[in-house]
Amino acid sequence: QVQLMDTGGGLVQAGGSLRLSCAASGNILSFNAVSWYRQAPGKQRDLVATITSSGSTNYADSVKGRFTISRDNAKNTVYLQMNSLKPEDTAVYYCNAKQYAGPQWYNYWGQGTQVTVSS
């Protein structure tokens, strides 16, 4: 059973930084992609950033240039470095891992970590 543990959230002032961690119970490279999503109160869950098993990265337009997704293979952990935080970044952030085991895709979620940015 794959488990993802999201940590690193907290309260920060606008302009500050936080680093989120997503620790996997197994080999992080066994996932085709690991992503961070976020969900603000009353809103849908949105994709923030993705890193593929090959190391390619993609970002939502709203966080480009401010957030960086990275991976430590030895620690089976994916990080989301968030700089220049804005109040609109306030949300619960969830780690997601996708794994293809033909012919089926498997989708795993962390429990979420709250990020609150004060103005």
Side-chain angles (χ1 to χ4, degrees):
Q1 179 73 13
V2 172
Q3 291 185 327
L4 301 176
M5 180 171 292
D6 309 333
T7 57
L11 173 63
V12 64
Q13 290 188 330
S17 299
L18 282 174
R19 188 178 78 160
L20 307 183
S21 298
C22 172
S25 58
N27 184 356
I28 198 75
L29 291 177
S30 70
F31 302 114
N32 297 79
V34 178
S35 301
W36 286 97
Y37 286 74
R38 66 186 181 187
Q39 188 167 20
K43 296 189 176 181
Q44 67 181 18
R45 191 172 296 190
D46 292 327
L47 178 63
V48 175
T50 298
I51 185 165
T52 68
S53 56
S54 65
S56 298
T57 59
N58 284 290
Y59 299 91
D61 288 342
S62 59
V63 306
K64 279 181 182 176
R66 299 188 298 123
F67 291 11
T68 302
I69 190 169
S70 63
R71 184 178 63 214
D72 186 328
N73 299 337
K75 295 183 178 180
N76 292 316
T77 300
V78 168
Y79 302 100
L80 185 68
Q81 178 66 44
M82 305 186 295
N83 298 328
S84 302
L85 282 161
K86 304 175 182 179
E88 51 264 44
D89 295 318
T90 295
V92 179
Y93 284 70
Y94 296 92
C95 179
N96 168 269
K98 293 180 173 60
Q99 187 175 57
Y100 182 68
Q104 189 170 348
W105 280 92
Y106 293 87
N107 217 16
Y108 304 100
W109 291 94
Q111 81 284 358
T113 184
Q114 175 71 47
V115 171
T116 303
V117 184
S118 63
S119 56

